[in-house]
Amino acid sequence: MAVKSVANCIFCKIIKGDIPSFKLIETETTFSFLDVGPLSKGHALVVPKYHAAKMHELPDEYLADTLFTAKKIAAAIGAENYNILQNNGRIAHQEVDHVHFHIIPKPSVSDDDGLVIGWPSKKADMEELKKLHEELRNKL
């Protein structure tokens, strides 16, 4: 399986061992480790060994193993509540241009632990939603 790496990417450097990490699981396609700037105890990252900036650019065989690894880590952490977070692009809060998934335990109802987000949902226009649905179905 092809491994794609970029010399100046922090995650590529961690995968190659150029930067030390607290490795959890490593497979042929995936590398996972504890986050050194955790939002809560057990916050971990799962990174495919193929350098792609956004999820839609990642080959499927890397994505499947990445989610399997995230599931194993979530179970090992033992938190009843947790977030699996993956961002694509700067305005979507992606800080490292290498696909990665955060496993973030939410150990309490306190906003001090784990991920804190707002969800500014809006009421959809049903006609616009119907048109979008048809457009997407045709593309899929």
Side-chain angles (χ1 to χ4, degrees):
M1 189 162 301
V3 174
K4 181 181 173 194
S5 183
V6 172
N8 65 347
C9 172
I10 190 169
F11 289 162
C12 290
K13 289 178 182 179
I14 290 171
I15 291 165
K16 288 192 294 187
D18 296 343
I19 296 175
S21 67
F22 293 97
K23 180 170 64 171
L24 295 171
I25 298 172
E26 181 175 11
T27 69
E28 181 181 354
T29 60
T30 302
F31 193 94
S32 63
F33 53 96
L34 291 174
D35 195 311
V36 295
L39 296 180
S40 60
K41 183 178 178 182
H43 181 168
L45 294 168
V46 180
V47 181
K49 289 183 175 180
Y50 184 98
H51 182 90
K54 297 181 178 179
M55 190 174 71
H56 68 275
E57 300 167 347
L58 188 66
D60 290 347
E61 60 270 20
Y62 289 86
L63 186 58
D65 191 42
T66 301
L67 291 176
F68 177 72
T69 301
K71 177 183 173 183
K72 287 178 75 172
I73 292 170
I77 290 169
E80 181 179 344
N81 303 292
Y82 57 92
N83 296 94
I84 304 289
L85 177 68
Q86 199 279 320
N87 302 321
N88 295 277
R90 288 285 181 266
I91 65 171
H93 309 287
Q94 182 180 14
E95 293 194 20
V96 177
D97 291 330
H98 186 126
V99 173
H100 58 286
F101 289 78
H102 293 264
I103 299 93
I104 308 167
K106 186 69 173 170
S108 68
V109 294
S110 168
D111 282 343
D112 295 339
D113 291 323
L115 183 64
V116 179
I117 59 172
W119 202 272
S121 63
K122 302 171 185 157
K123 180 134 177 76
D125 176 285
M126 288 300 147
E127 283 304 311
E128 287 181 20
L129 200 57
K130 181 180 176 183
K131 288 177 188 174
L132 177 60
H133 174 254
E134 289 172 13
E135 178 185 325
L136 292 175
R137 292 283 300 178
N138 288 332
K139 289 179 179 179
L140 295 170

